[in-house]
Amino acid sequence: MIKEVIVVEGKDDIAAVKKAVEAEVIAVNGYGINKDSMEKIKEAAKRTGVIILTDPDHAGERIRRMISKRVPDAKHAYIMREEGTKNGNIGVENANPEAILRALNSAKAAFEEKSVVFSARDMMFFKLTGAGDSKMRRQIMGKALGIGYGNSSSFLSKLNSFKISREEFEEALVRNFKEYANE
């Protein structure tokens, strides 16, 4: 698994990266980098590091500069224009897994064993899945931990990928849910 969080432009890019490697990936949705996305990227940079992998075109370079300005320690992965071009369309989503892996290796991506601190059982126990208010609880906890919202499966992945500790998780529970304050 790649230690750093990979930042791409869109959902199709996420799918292409996940075909190449196991990693946490954030999409900024093109120029629409909103405050929440940037906060997630900054949090990822603090916790695990970030690799920026944008399209090999003018728009991709502009997005890369926008992120780099706010996250100066980010690593940069580049696919070549010819690797990302298909039927006149240029983008990471067109690159094959080998090209993406080469770009990440060139960026000095750190590979590590996947760390599993939280499990599906924890998600149930803390009512982050399976309860009527699970979605709201994930939203609150995602904001408190700086990892953003996700469905049950992606939230669990973020907890582990962003290296959230049990202690940090439990402190956020106590701060945000009265039922945990006296346990």
Side-chain angles (χ1 to χ4, degrees), residues 100-138:
I100 291 170
L101 187 56
R102 181 206 45 78
L104 293 169
N105 282 329
S106 293
K108 308 286 189 263
F111 290 83
E112 66 180 8
E113 289 294 315
K114 186 173 185 173
S115 171
V116 180
V117 174
F118 297 94
S119 67
R121 175 178 260 170
D122 293 315
M123 294 289 288
M124 291 290 290
F125 181 80
F126 294 111
K127 301 177 187 164
L128 296 170
T129 191
D133 62 349
S134 292
K135 179 178 180 178
M136 183 241 352
R137 287 171 170 272
R138 288 191 308 274

Side-chain angles (χ1 to χ4, degrees), residues 25-44:
V25 187
I26 297 173
V28 296
N29 300 315
Y31 289 130
I33 303 175
N34 60 31
K35 185 179 177 184
D36 287 343
S37 291
M38 192 52 71
E39 290 305 315
K40 273 192 263 183
I41 294 167
K42 287 179 182 177
E43 188 65 26

Side-chain angles (χ1 to χ4, degrees), residues 8 12-13 16-17 53-56 79 84 90-96 100:
V8 297
D12 292 337
D13 298 336
V17 169
L53 176 63
T54 54
D55 296 347
I79 60 164
I90 299 172
V92 170
E93 74 271 12
N94 297 320
N96 64 37
I100 291 170

